Amino acid sequence: MFEALTNKFEDLFYKIRNKGKLSPGDMDAALREIKLALLEADVNFKVVREFLDNVEKKATGEKVLESLTAYQQVVKIVNEEIIKMLGSSSGDISFVPKGPTIIMMIGLQGSGKTSSVIKLANFIKSRFQKKVSIVAADVYRPAAVLQLEDMAKNINVEVFSEGSSDPVSLTEEGVETFKKAGSDVIIIDTAGRLQVNEDMMNEIADIKRKISPHSIYMILDSMTGQEAVNIAEGFNKRVDFDGIILTKLDSDTRGGAALSVYYVVKKQIKFISDGEKIEDFGIFHPDRIASRILGMGDIITLAEKAEKVVSEKEAKKIEQKIYKNELNFEDFISQLRSIKKIGSVDKLFSMMPSANKNKIFKKASLDDRYLKRIEAIINSMTVEERRRPHIINGSRKKRIARGCGCSITEINRLLKQFDKTKQMLKQFSGLKGKTGLNFNNF
Amino acid sequence: MQKLIRNLNYIWNKFRSDRKLFWDELEEQLVAGDISIDTVARILEKVKKKSYSENINNPEKIKSLIREQVVEILEINGDNKLNVSPVSPTVFLIVGVNGSGKTTSVAKLANLFKDDGKKILLSAADTYRAAAAEQLQHYADKLGLDIVCHQKFSDPGAVVYDSIEKAQANGIDLVIIDTAGRMQTSHNLMEELKKIKKVITGRINRNADEILLVVDSTTGQNAKNQAEIFNNSLNLTGIILTKTDSTSKGGIILTIKNDLNIPVKMFTDGEKLKDICYFDPAKFADSLFS
């Protein structure tokens, strides 16, 4: 999900990062790109406007433009603002201490209510070991009840459907029945309706008044366009729901609707649904989704950590050396050790932006064991060899191989890769930022 | 459907001194109708050019220029009629993502052609969703139509094969095939549709007369991805735009038409079976702009 938006941001920040400092013109271009990306992702235009204002204000306030780390700072601000748009905490279910917890599901036709009812029932049943029952209050759509009963059978959940033809009384009867039967959780599936259909909205407000559900979830199709805010506003005005279940995230939707909705009605997305299987359902984590939108992985943490282990002075020194083509194995191993201080290679990669990960690391089968071997080879070199790698000849290679217990082929490979890296770093040295090390050939 | 442009006079006067802001505001309103940014840019570029070259100084005229562009996009290479074969049975294949309104659209189409006196057979090729066949059966009973259903999880290709065979043997005029909802991102399910298409071609020695993608009008930019990927697999002949009685504007169909040249042929606008109409670009534009 959200892939396109992610790619946009990555392209954008890739451009900015290569420049280092941001000019006021860069900032305008960045804001324009963010605007287009968000609009293309179906984020409501009013929300986009406010979002951009906030990003701009913050960026100016924090003097981003004057900073050397402008890129990281813009990312941080955009990231924070997106988290704000998504709400601040992860959804969970609160059960009432006494009697059954009643949950009502509402939404437009085709948003995925019935599937979500089943998935939620299964989620509660398997995670909390609660007895869950379902009231089938969609009396309008042909075979809706049958669909519910059929799916409920698969997860061993009881469905109440044989009651009055009026959905309000039917729901009351169903809730009464399951209260007596000792259900822990009662989920009510209602008919799909348009938020502008007065009669249908009256009906759902009526059901709410009669049975006072503890939670009401609105089901929102993640592919919804600009209308998402009006839909959410319409339902919210009449039934004041508690949270949102975002469905169909297995599509390639950019999912901007999700961003808009919280911003406008201040109701959180509690759960997501992302597949045809009953298990394809889970708790929504705004922070995770935000970094996914940005495609930044956890670049912020990474940047913070890198700052701690690589001093600005050291980074400058390396950059100079790269520029003069004087990089040697001593620099290399000090960089290697810095990286190890940040964490394991796997962890490092998980914090990297995904597109760049693909561009740079796809072919590199880097793991901690491989890095250890490289370190061992370099440790077996004399100081002279580390400083002037070109003096390493056949007999020196034999000695190094004995010292670290690897083959001469491996040493040859390292030397060759080191040369290539050096050349490449020199090419990029005008553009590169803080950390000089590039893994491309390793 | 709701109006695409609100308060044009107001924004025209508000930005009297800075026309750039006027165009920005207009751009935003069009984007708010789910038209893609590219399409909006293309429309406004032409409108701007014309308004400058013809020295137009009147918001109503600008509105009608935009309307003109919308109609032009929707009408170009336009053939919005449903293709009925001279050799019976005509076969319509209905596809789309989950919850777009396929089954209801099948019933509404059947109702429309039944009123024309055609003999119709419904084919319940959604063997996946619980109670999908029963839902279609309900409509068949209500309208007094033939229907072919197989067991749940059976091969949808076999349902289609049997449907057409039965139609050919019984002098049916029109077969309408309902398929399971699927995300365009699901490769296997898209392959399944290709197979269904092949089964049809094998039985009637031509492609299905209509392969219609059902698009929910509240869908945003993803509708273009849907159209693109379904089209790549099946060569769509058109779109059924559903739920137009909602507050959405369905502007994405402009982008789909402009970029992929897939026309909207029908739209649905209500809960009743009669709530289906042939799509008329001029009327659609009127509903957005009048």
Side-chain angles (χ1 to χ4, degrees):
Chain A
M1 80 189 265
F2 296 133
E3 274 113 4
L5 185 52
T6 300
N7 292 343
K8 278 267 171 192
F9 275 126
E10 280 183 355
D11 285 352
L12 170 65
F13 289 127
Y14 200 71
K15 275 182 224 156
I16 297 176
R17 184 177 36 192
N18 286 341
K19 281 186 169 170
K21 274 194 181 183
L22 285 186
S23 70
D26 284 341
M27 195 63 205
D28 282 348
L31 289 173
R32 168 98 188 142
E33 284 291 330
I34 296 171
K35 176 185 171 178
L36 292 180
L38 292 173
L39 284 174
E40 276 172 16
D42 292 324
V43 180
N44 185 271
F45 71 101
K46 289 181 201 154
V47 178
V48 171
R49 211 187 285 162
E50 225 170 298
F51 180 84
L52 292 178
D53 280 353
N54 286 340
V55 169
E56 197 176 6
K57 245 182 247 153
K58 282 205 169 169
T60 332
E62 288 171 20
K63 299 196 173 161
V64 164
L65 302 185
E66 290 161 34
S67 155
L68 257 178
T69 54
Y71 155 68
Q72 280 99 328
Q73 291 199 35
V74 174
V75 174
K76 207 175 128 210
I77 292 167
V78 172
N79 186 57
E80 280 168 5
E81 287 305 306
I82 288 184
I83 291 180
K84 209 190 265 177
M85 282 164 86
L86 287 168
S88 52
S89 67
S90 307
D92 211 341
I93 299 173
S94 49
F95 299 102
V96 290
K98 243 179 115 188
T101 303
I102 302 172
I103 300 171
M104 182 160 90
M105 310 278 258
I106 58 176
L108 293 188
Q109 291 92 340
S111 52
K113 278 176 303 308
T114 305
S115 302
S116 296
V117 164
I118 294 293
K119 286 174 174 180
L120 179 65
N122 182 58
F123 179 83
I124 294 174
K125 194 175 166 238
S126 53
R127 179 167 294 209
F128 302 101
Q129 278 77 49
K130 301 269 185 195
K131 187 184 171 204
V132 184
S133 310
I134 295 169
V135 177
D138 181 357
V139 299
Y140 303 102
R141 185 164 61 89
V145 173
L146 206 63
Q147 181 186 355
L148 200 57
E149 283 173 340
D150 196 71
M151 293 169 87
K153 231 181 274 163
N154 294 331
I155 56 167
N156 277 322
V157 163
E158 216 180 313
V159 175
F160 180 90
S161 59
E162 302 284 317
S164 308
S165 57
D166 159 52
V168 184
S169 336
L170 181 138
T171 307
E172 282 183 293
E173 292 157 19
V175 168
E176 255 341 285
T177 306
F178 287 133
K179 264 184 187 168
K180 276 183 202 141
S183 295
D184 301 316
V185 178
I186 303 170
I187 304 177
I188 299 152
D189 184 24
T190 62
R193 66 201 72 219
L194 291 173
Q195 83 278 10
V196 284
N197 184 327
E198 269 308 308
D199 292 344
M200 292 296 279
M201 292 310 282
N202 285 337
E203 178 197 288
I204 207 138
D206 238 21
I207 296 179
K208 183 189 170 178
R209 208 171 316 122
K210 292 269 167 58
I211 59 158
S212 320
H214 302 98
S215 295
I216 303 174
Y217 295 137
M218 189 190 80
I219 316 301
L220 180 71
D221 182 333
S222 61
M223 300 183 286
T224 310
Q226 294 282 325
E227 277 302 298
V229 292
N230 296 334
I231 296 164
E233 257 173 351
F235 275 100
N236 196 40
K237 220 174 11 186
R238 293 305 305 275
V239 286
D240 188 19
F241 58 82
D242 299 283
I244 290 159
I245 298 179
L246 194 61
T247 61
K248 307 185 198 174
L249 279 169
D250 48 331
S251 75
D252 53 357
T253 179
R254 305 176 195 183
L259 303 184
S260 313
V261 165
Y262 173 79
Y263 217 69
V264 175
V265 296
K266 304 294 176 221
K267 297 293 161 78
Q268 280 171 1
I269 297 160
K270 299 264 182 186
F271 301 99
I272 60 157
S273 157
D274 59 356
E276 300 261 3
K277 287 199 278 321
I278 287 172
E279 300 79 35
D280 296 330
F281 188 84
I283 289 174
F284 178 78
H285 295 281
D287 44 344
R288 283 183 212 169
I289 302 286
S291 27
R292 199 163 154 179
I293 293 169
L294 278 167
M296 301 323 295
D298 200 354
I299 195 83
I300 294 125
T301 319
L302 182 63
E304 277 167 8
K305 284 188 174 176
E307 221 146 80
K308 268 183 211 151
V309 295
V310 185
S311 74
E312 190 119 354
K313 220 170 110 193
E314 202 181 328
K316 275 258 157 65
K317 206 175 88 192
I318 298 273
E319 216 170 294
Q320 277 298 313
K321 283 199 159 180
I322 292 169
Y323 186 63
K324 292 185 190 153
N325 209 9
E326 284 174 1
L327 194 74
N328 59 37
F329 276 118
E330 276 195 326
D331 309 315
F332 192 75
I333 200 146
S334 83
Q335 292 273 299
L336 214 57
R337 282 173 186 151
S338 305
I339 285 172
K340 280 172 74 184
K341 274 189 236 163
I342 298 174
S344 71
V345 173
D346 279 351
K347 208 171 145 206
L348 207 65
F349 277 13
S350 75
M351 291 191 282
M352 289 281 186
S354 63
N356 294 338
K357 214 179 345 193
N358 287 337
K359 272 178 212 152
I360 298 168
F361 298 105
K362 208 166 190 180
K363 283 173 285 176
S365 53
L366 252 187
D367 61 44
D368 287 317
R369 273 189 8 235
Y370 185 54
L371 283 190
K372 252 187 201 156
R373 287 178 87 83
I374 293 176
E375 207 183 338
I377 295 174
I378 298 172
N379 278 339
S380 300
M381 293 177 188
T382 64
V383 176
E384 189 63 13
E385 283 163 354
R386 279 183 227 160
R387 286 191 185 150
R388 299 166 58 212
H390 64 270
I391 63 165
I392 300 175
N393 58 18
S395 66
R396 283 177 191 270
K397 280 179 197 165
K398 262 186 213 159
R399 197 203 72 250
I400 296 167
R402 269 201 310 277
C404 64
C406 65
S407 67
I408 292 187
T409 331
E410 274 176 275
I411 295 169
N412 281 335
R413 202 192 310 150
L414 175 66
L415 289 171
K416 217 167 143 191
Q417 286 169 337
F418 183 70
D419 262 356
K420 262 198 205 158
T421 308
K422 238 164 62 173
Q423 277 167 20
M424 223 178 56
L425 285 177
K426 187 168 160 48
Q427 277 174 5
F428 286 117
S429 60
L431 305 166
K432 274 280 150 190
K434 240 176 132 170
T435 40
L437 194 64
N438 188 311
F439 284 109
N440 198 40
N441 295 305
F442 289 93
Chain B
M1 291 281 172
Q2 290 200 340
K3 302 281 168 284
L4 195 53
I5 299 177
R6 292 152 293 132
N7 307 322
L8 194 73
N9 282 313
Y10 172 75
I11 58 170
W12 177 262
N13 288 325
K14 187 175 169 192
F15 301 118
R16 188 170 282 280
S17 54
D18 190 346
R19 281 291 172 248
K20 192 189 165 297
L21 291 176
F22 167 77
W23 293 112
D24 283 355
E25 177 78 25
L26 210 52
E27 178 188 41
E28 236 170 48
Q29 292 206 8
L30 294 173
V31 168
D34 287 322
I35 310 174
S36 80
I37 295 161
D38 288 348
T39 313
V40 169
R42 224 164 294 161
I43 291 173
L44 285 185
E45 199 186 323
K46 284 191 183 162
V47 171
K48 262 188 223 172
K49 228 187 214 164
K50 231 178 181 176
S51 77
Y52 288 130
S53 70
E54 293 172 18
N55 213 0
I56 289 172
N57 234 337
N58 169 350
E60 280 309 313
K61 281 243 173 77
I62 290 193
K63 200 196 250 183
S64 72
L65 283 181
I66 299 172
R67 185 191 171 282
E68 237 170 64
Q69 286 302 319
V70 168
V71 174
E72 192 186 305
I73 289 174
L74 291 173
E75 272 181 350
I76 202 160
N77 306 321
D79 177 17
N80 300 323
K81 293 281 152 291
L82 291 175
N83 188 19
V84 175
S85 164
V87 189
S88 279
T90 294
V91 177
F92 292 172
L93 177 64
I94 312 298
V95 300
V97 301
N98 311 62
S100 53
K102 282 175 300 304
T103 307
T104 313
S105 295
V106 165
K108 286 176 176 175
L109 271 178
N111 188 43
L112 189 74
F113 279 86
K114 194 192 161 218
D115 285 350
D116 277 357
K118 297 265 194 262
K119 266 183 93 178
I120 300 162
L121 181 140
L122 301 183
S123 174
D126 179 357
T127 57
Y128 184 80
R129 179 167 65 89
E134 284 84 350
Q135 187 182 349
L136 201 64
Q137 179 79 57
H138 166 93
Y139 289 125
D141 292 347
K142 196 169 169 183
L143 295 169
L145 307 176
D146 274 331
I147 182 168
V148 171
C149 294
H150 283 191
Q151 280 199 333
K152 222 187 146 192
F153 300 129
S154 60
D155 173 20
V159 178
V160 170
Y161 186 97
D162 285 359
S163 301
I164 297 176
E165 191 171 59
K166 186 171 173 189
Q168 285 166 335
N170 292 289
I172 296 282
D173 300 309
L174 172 65
V175 178
I176 309 177
I177 302 164
D178 186 25
T179 60
R182 67 203 71 218
M183 292 299 161
Q184 69 274 19
T185 45
S186 166
H187 176 78
N188 290 346
L189 292 177
M190 296 308 289
E191 289 299 308
E192 183 189 275
L193 277 185
K194 280 192 201 165
K195 189 188 153 196
I196 289 176
K197 186 184 171 183
K198 246 188 230 160
V199 169
I200 297 169
T201 311
R203 287 302 303 177
I204 62 176
N205 293 318
R206 61 174 194 278
N207 279 330
D209 301 288
E210 289 289 346
I211 302 177
L212 299 167
L213 177 72
V214 179
V215 173
D216 181 337
S217 63
T218 49
T219 311
Q221 303 301 309
N222 192 253
K224 191 193 156 189
N225 298 18
Q226 293 172 19
E228 198 163 11
I229 299 173
F230 274 94
N231 191 44
N232 285 344
S233 298
L234 298 170
N235 276 327
L236 298 172
T237 59
I239 284 169
I240 302 178
L241 187 68
T242 60
K243 308 181 200 177
T244 61
D245 49 333
S246 71
T247 50
S248 65
K249 296 157 196 90
I252 193 64
I253 64 162
L254 282 172
T255 299
I256 294 174
K257 180 66 174 55
N258 193 49
D259 295 4
L260 305 168
N261 198 28
I262 304 169
V264 175
K265 294 204 167 173
M266 310 293 296
F267 69 94
T268 70
D269 60 351
E271 300 265 357
K272 293 190 205 69
L273 283 178
K274 62 166 187 40
D275 296 330
I276 185 166
C277 299
Y278 289 97
F279 183 80
D280 179 337
K283 275 191 193 153
F284 176 76
D286 283 342
S287 76
L288 290 179
F289 293 103
S290 58

